[in-house]
Amino acid sequence: MGLNIHTLIHPIIQKLAYEIIYQKPQSTDNEKTLGILIFYETLRKWLKIDNIYVKKVDALKESYFSNQLDKYLIITNIIECYNFLGEVERILPQSCIKHIEFYKADEISKYSQKLKEHKIIIFEKFLKNYEIINIINYLYKHKITNLNHVKIICITCNQNILKYIAQKYPQLNIYTTKII
């Protein structure tokens, strides 16, 4: 079984990603927009929205609520990725964003209880070094979560890193705009 790599090909996502990868972004709004679009595309099959209809005497009111049982833990380097995560809580109200330096995988132990209760999203702007492997190894080695409940999101990812991850953890899902 091979690694599940999903390349996000929506034209707006591609245009914004191109600007961020190859040009200096004109504003942080583009990074926020790209962040919300990438998270939407990545999580649309995970997200469950419940429709609630309340019948009143003179009207019918319709409301939408996200499934309160689904909770998401976003592991990222907030210093590098804060622009992308600014609007994520709007689409993921049951989310918790935690800062982790990927080369310090043992820091994740601070969140071990949340790791068991949450679906895990690892977000890295540019997946270009092997430090993310430390986090995945820690999750796997300590049996903290089922790796099917982990999604990795990045704007670009290095082909060699993908090969390495595919050999060790083929059940992971990676979402990206471009493989370099």
Side-chain angles (χ1 to χ4, degrees):
M1 182 165 115
L3 186 64
N4 299 312
I5 302 170
H6 308 274
T7 304
L8 305 173
I9 58 171
H10 191 282
I12 295 171
I13 292 174
Q14 288 293 313
K15 182 181 182 311
L16 291 171
Y18 179 84
E19 177 185 307
I20 291 165
I21 297 166
Y22 298 111
Q23 303 169 348
K24 183 175 178 167
Q26 297 170 357
S27 73
T28 59
D29 289 340
N30 288 348
E31 289 179 347
K32 285 181 186 177
T33 303
L34 180 60
I36 205 163
L37 290 172
I38 286 176
F39 272 87
Y40 165 74
E41 282 293 323
T42 302
L43 302 174
R44 65 184 175 157
K45 292 181 181 171
W46 252 5
L47 291 173
K48 293 184 178 47
I49 303 294
D50 298 320
N51 297 358
I52 306 289
Y53 298 97
V54 179
K55 184 168 171 91
K56 295 183 176 183
V57 174
D58 59 345
L60 180 66
K61 183 178 178 184
E62 182 178 12
S63 296
Y64 298 94
F65 297 97
S66 62
N67 187 337
Q68 299 298 307
L69 299 175
D70 290 338
K71 296 178 181 170
Y72 304 90
L73 177 64
I74 302 169
I75 299 171
T76 188
N77 183 331
I78 294 176
I79 296 167
E80 292 180 10
C81 304
Y82 69 94
N83 286 341
F84 293 91
L85 303 169
E87 300 291 323
V88 168
E89 289 182 331
R90 287 179 55 203
I91 59 172
L92 286 177
Q94 296 290 339
S95 64
C96 180
I97 301 172
K98 295 295 179 186
H99 172 76
I100 291 185
E101 301 282 346
F102 289 146
Y103 64 90
K104 297 179 182 176
D106 59 334
E107 283 184 6
I108 205 166
S109 65
K110 294 187 267 185
Y111 312 115
S112 61
Q113 185 59 36
K114 286 187 184 278
L115 291 168
K116 293 176 183 176
E117 301 170 353
H118 293 65
K119 293 180 178 179
I120 300 171
I121 302 160
I122 301 172
F123 181 77
E124 187 162 14
K125 195 173 181 180
F126 303 114
L127 187 58
K128 60 186 176 203
N129 57 44
Y130 290 88
E131 292 172 352
I132 196 167
I133 305 297
N134 296 334
I135 299 292
I136 300 166
N137 286 340
Y138 188 90
L139 293 172
Y140 184 74
K141 187 168 104 175
H142 292 87
K143 296 182 175 36
I144 292 175
T145 188
N146 180 343
L147 291 182
N148 292 326
H149 291 108
V150 176
K151 292 187 187 244
I152 298 172
I153 303 173
C154 56
I155 297 173
T156 64
C157 54
N158 182 294
Q159 189 172 10
N160 294 330
I161 294 171
L162 291 178
K163 286 179 186 175
Y164 184 81
I165 293 173
Q167 289 173 352
K168 287 188 80 172
Y169 307 107
Q171 70 272 37
L172 281 173
N173 286 292
I174 298 179
Y175 294 81
T176 186
T177 63
K178 186 170 184 70
I179 299 172
I180 298 175

